[in-house]
Amino acid sequence: MLLMQFSAAGTDFPSIDTWTPEEIRAHIGFMREVNEKLAADGEFVQAEGLAGPQQARIVRAGESGAPVVTEGPFAETKEFLAGWWIVDTETPQRAVEIAAHISTAPGPGGRPLNMPVEVHPVMSAPPQEL
C-alpha cells in the first residue's frame, strides 16, 4: 500500500486551493496516467484521493457504543493522508519505484512536489508466529 502524505511543514509550495486550474488539471492528469500505467502493467489494485483535513472527522465509541464525532485532525496536526494506492508488485523494490514516481506529481509551475509516499506491505493474515 502506498500512502501519499501531505505536510505543510517543510514544503516549498502553496496549498492546492491556491493553484491555478491548469496546475490542478496537470496534477490530476498525472495521477490518472499513473493509474492507467499501473493497470496496463497489471499492478493496479485500487487508488483513491482523499478530501482535505477540513472535512475529516474523528469518531470514537462513546457510552453504549454510540458514536462521538469531532472535527479533525486537530489544529496542531500539520500532516494528513492525501491518498493511497494498493498495488500488486512482483518485488518490494518495484513498489518503492512506483512510490518514487508518484512523488514526482506536478505542483505549481509544473515542478515536482516530491511529497513523501509511505510504502507498507498489506498483510493477508497475522504472522505465523502469532
Side-chain angles (χ1 to χ4, degrees):
M1 180 174 230
L2 312 177
L3 303 171
M4 178 176 269
Q5 302 287 333
F6 174 80
S7 173
T11 61
D12 63 350
F13 57 87
S15 64
I16 198 166
D17 60 343
T18 65
W19 297 7
T20 67
E22 294 79 20
E23 291 167 339
I24 293 171
R25 278 193 291 276
H27 184 78
I28 292 171
F30 175 90
M31 296 302 180
R32 284 189 179 129
E33 289 174 12
V34 164
N35 295 346
E36 289 167 2
K37 171 112 174 59
L38 290 171
D41 292 345
E43 296 174 316
F44 183 86
V45 176
Q46 180 184 20
E48 296 293 337
L50 299 175
Q54 313 87 316
Q55 296 174 298
R57 301 295 176 260
I58 295 174
V59 180
R60 290 183 176 85
E63 287 193 35
S64 304
V68 176
V69 181
T70 57
E71 291 184 10
F74 298 110
E76 63 271 8
T77 300
K78 305 263 189 278
E79 299 174 350
F80 65 90
L81 183 61
W84 77 83
W85 290 259
I86 298 177
V87 295
D88 185 8
T89 60
E90 291 291 324
T91 66
Q93 181 57 33
R94 175 65 183 139
V96 168
E97 291 168 1
I98 294 167
H101 178 65
I102 289 170
S103 177
T104 68
R111 288 187 7 247
L113 295 175
N114 296 324
M115 289 174 50
V117 178
E118 293 181 22
V119 178
H120 292 262
V122 176
M123 295 174 34
S124 59
Q128 288 184 339
E129 60 270 10
L130 294 179

